[in-house]
């Protein structure tokens, strides 16, 4: 029987960027946008507050974009301060590179395993689905989902009792599956 797990975000990730006013290096985005029009050109920023001093930083979304080149639904979502749009934009690698930011997902996601009836099975086939591309270590996910220690899951992997078509060491942001035999 196939068991379905889901990695779900609980809040927006922290934006890692140095604050110009204090020694903090993290900003908390709240999904608020600022849109500025200069004749037929638009600028748009995602606003984030410093976790140390509360100062605001702007993550550039649009820079000198012609009004007709911006999709109306995107502009409407920015005017409405859509937090889902903020999450989508933070996932964009081009936007992160252009703004020289990184994301910190610590404490911003949870693992939904459904019920606990899989804990006492001899063999369990699990499919893990990501609601957002949260970078997690599959071994940590498996350890948390089955209530095992990380060393215990590494031992199961070394003994061949934990099998997956994807690499379980390192980090992943994509869906994967595995088979655990005890």
């Amino acid at each position: 029987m196939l068991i379905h797990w889901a990695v779900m975000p609980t809040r927006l990730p922290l934006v890692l960027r140095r604050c110009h006013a204090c020694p903090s290096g993290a900003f908390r985005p709240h999904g608020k946008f600022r849109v500025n029009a200069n004749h037929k050109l638009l600028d748009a920023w995602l606003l984030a507050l410093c976790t140390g001093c509360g100062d605001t930083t702007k993550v550039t979304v649009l820079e000198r974009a012609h009004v007709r080149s911006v999709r109306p639904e995107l502009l409407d979502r920015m005017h409405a301060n859509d937090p889902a749009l903020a999450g989508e934009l933070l996932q964009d690698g081009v936007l992160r590179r252009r703004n020289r930011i990184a994301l910190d997902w610590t404490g911003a996601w949870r693992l939904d395993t459904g019920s606990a009836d899989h804990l006492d099975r001899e063999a369990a086939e699990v499919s893990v689905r990501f609601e957002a591309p949260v970078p997690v270590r599959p071994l940590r996910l498996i350890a948390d989902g089955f209530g095992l220690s990380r060393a215990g899951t590494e031992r199961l992997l070394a003994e061949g009792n934990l099998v997956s078509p994807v690499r379980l060491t390192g980090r992943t942001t994509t869906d994967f599956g595995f088979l655990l035999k005890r």
Side-chain angles (χ1 to χ4, degrees):
M1 183 173 151
L2 185 65
I3 302 166
H4 298 281
W5 288 359
V7 175
M8 302 187 314
T10 55
R11 63 169 170 78
L12 292 173
L14 293 177
V15 173
L16 299 179
R17 170 191 273 178
R18 208 169 140 294
C19 180
H20 70 279
C22 76
S24 176
F27 289 83
R28 183 172 309 282
H30 293 285
K32 302 228 185 272
F33 292 89
R34 178 166 181 227
V35 180
N36 187 25
N38 185 3
H39 299 286
K40 293 184 181 185
L41 301 177
L42 289 177
D43 292 316
W45 300 277
L46 171 64
L47 303 177
L49 298 176
C50 177
T51 57
C53 66
D55 201 24
T56 303
T57 190
K58 299 186 287 187
V59 177
T60 303
V61 177
L62 298 173
E63 189 170 30
R64 299 289 178 209
H66 197 276
V67 173
R68 291 185 185 259
S69 68
V70 179
R71 294 180 322 220
E73 61 271 2
L74 175 66
L75 199 54
D76 290 341
R77 289 177 73 187
M78 281 193 274
H79 282 300
N81 290 322
D82 185 0
L85 176 62
E88 292 169 21
L89 291 172
L90 286 173
Q91 304 305 322
D92 185 16
V94 173
L95 183 121
R96 289 196 316 261
R97 279 190 299 279
R98 183 177 46 195
N99 286 283
R100 296 185 186 107
I101 60 172
L103 301 179
D104 180 11
W105 282 95
T106 306
W109 61 274
R110 70 179 175 86
L111 176 65
D112 182 19
T113 60
S115 63
D117 63 343
H118 64 276
L119 296 176
D120 56 347
R121 293 187 179 178
E122 285 295 317
E125 185 178 358
V126 179
S127 167
V128 181
R129 181 178 44 86
F130 286 78
E131 297 287 325
V134 179
V136 295
R137 296 184 186 279
L139 282 180
R140 177 183 172 210
L141 215 61
I142 295 167
D144 289 349
F146 281 99
L148 303 170
S149 67
R150 179 128 180 241
T153 55
E154 288 174 353
R155 189 171 35 258
L156 288 170
L157 182 64
E159 293 170 354
N161 292 331
L162 181 57
V163 183
S164 177
V166 298
R167 197 174 114 232
L168 295 177
T169 57
R171 292 184 184 267
T172 187
T173 59
T174 58
D175 299 350
F176 69 95
F178 65 91
L179 177 66
L180 175 68
K181 298 178 272 183
R182 296 187 198 203

